[in-house]
Amino acid sequence: MKDTLLTRRYAKAFLDFAIKNNMTEEGLSDLETVCDTINESHELRGLLSGPFVSDKKKSDILVRIFKDNVSAKTLNFISMMIEKNRSEIIGDIYEQYRDLYNEYNNIEVVTITTAVEIDEATRQKFLTFVKDIIKGHIQIVNKIDEKIIGGFIIRRGDYEYDASIRTKLKRLSKIFTENLYVKGY
């Protein structure tokens, strides 16, 4: 993230606007659509970051791209970001907005890292496991990392519970590399 204070201010302002207009979820979806499209298109990223294209032209292009998929209010926000030369932090604003949205709606995001995709029954077991610890709504995000070999890692904010095979093997390796030989026995 480039400037967290700046991005947080813009995200907070957009969330306040979305709350007043009863469009918090729509705003989240719209920002996600815009960010995904920008991230997927090398040409669009180049256009937005290039100094050779006027702000008006950048806004017009984005309006043409997103007019059918994004609300007019979100398009106005994106256009304002471009006019203020803030187009490079739109993705960061989306991330901050998502965090503020989750905080506003009392949603806790729990990331579960596994070596393979988990099925719905396993997801429900994880949900019951973390429900005892977390108050409010829980959103589970499953990340795949084959390097952990097996087991799982649960992350929520700063808290991490690591029950992966990789970590257990590292601990065993550390124990076996220590010289436990005591002279005299």
Side-chain angles (χ1 to χ4, degrees):
M1 231 173 259
K2 295 189 174 148
D3 187 351
T4 53
L5 183 59
L6 181 68
T7 57
R8 188 161 178 87
R9 283 182 181 167
Y10 278 110
K12 176 83 171 98
F14 188 61
L15 179 66
D16 291 343
F17 175 78
I19 290 169
K20 287 178 186 172
N21 290 290
N22 198 24
M23 58 171 275
T24 55
E25 193 169 325
E26 182 183 14
L28 180 67
S29 175
D30 288 349
L31 285 177
E32 182 179 22
T33 300
V34 170
C35 289
D36 286 349
T37 305
I38 291 171
N39 289 337
E40 290 173 7
S41 173
H42 177 70
E43 293 84 10
L44 189 55
R45 278 194 316 272
L47 176 97
L48 291 175
S49 64
F52 51 86
V53 180
S54 70
D55 292 340
K56 173 87 171 103
K57 192 71 163 169
K58 289 177 186 178
S59 289
D60 290 345
I61 291 170
L62 285 180
V63 166
R64 275 190 259 143
I65 291 172
F66 295 113
K67 69 179 175 187
D68 296 330
N69 302 324
V70 174
S71 73
K73 293 174 182 174
T74 304
L75 277 177
N76 288 339
F77 175 74
I78 298 297
S79 295
M80 182 203 58
M81 296 299 302
I82 291 171
E83 290 172 16
K84 302 259 185 207
N85 291 322
R86 305 283 190 225
S87 60
E88 70 277 354
I89 62 169
I90 291 173
D92 298 331
I93 291 171
Y94 161 67
E95 291 175 12
Q96 286 286 333
Y97 181 86
R98 184 186 59 215
D99 294 344
L100 290 169
Y101 171 86
N102 287 339
E103 187 179 311
Y104 175 75
N105 289 304
N106 196 26
I107 298 172
E108 288 282 344
V109 178
V110 177
T111 304
I112 299 173
T113 306
T114 56
V116 295
E117 184 74 33
I118 59 174
D119 60 353
E120 190 56 37
T122 308
R123 182 181 292 274
Q124 290 303 318
K125 287 180 184 177
F126 277 122
L127 190 60
T128 57
F129 178 73
V130 296
K131 265 192 179 175
D132 297 334
I133 303 167
I134 299 172
K135 305 292 186 255
H137 303 287
I138 301 169
Q139 178 183 358
I140 294 181
V141 176
N142 183 215
K143 287 189 177 178
I144 309 296
D145 183 4
E146 295 173 355
K147 294 177 185 171
I148 70 168
I149 303 170
F152 59 89
I153 302 171
I154 297 177
R155 282 192 188 95
R156 176 189 148 234
D158 293 340
Y159 176 76
E160 177 177 283
Y161 179 75
D162 191 342
S164 67
I165 302 297
R166 175 181 63 191
T167 302
K168 291 178 182 179
L169 288 174
K170 283 182 181 178
R171 287 186 195 137
L172 281 173
S173 175
K174 185 177 179 181
I175 290 170
F176 286 127
T177 56
E178 292 178 8
N179 186 1
L180 299 177
Y181 174 72
V182 179
K183 200 171 191 176
Y185 282 106

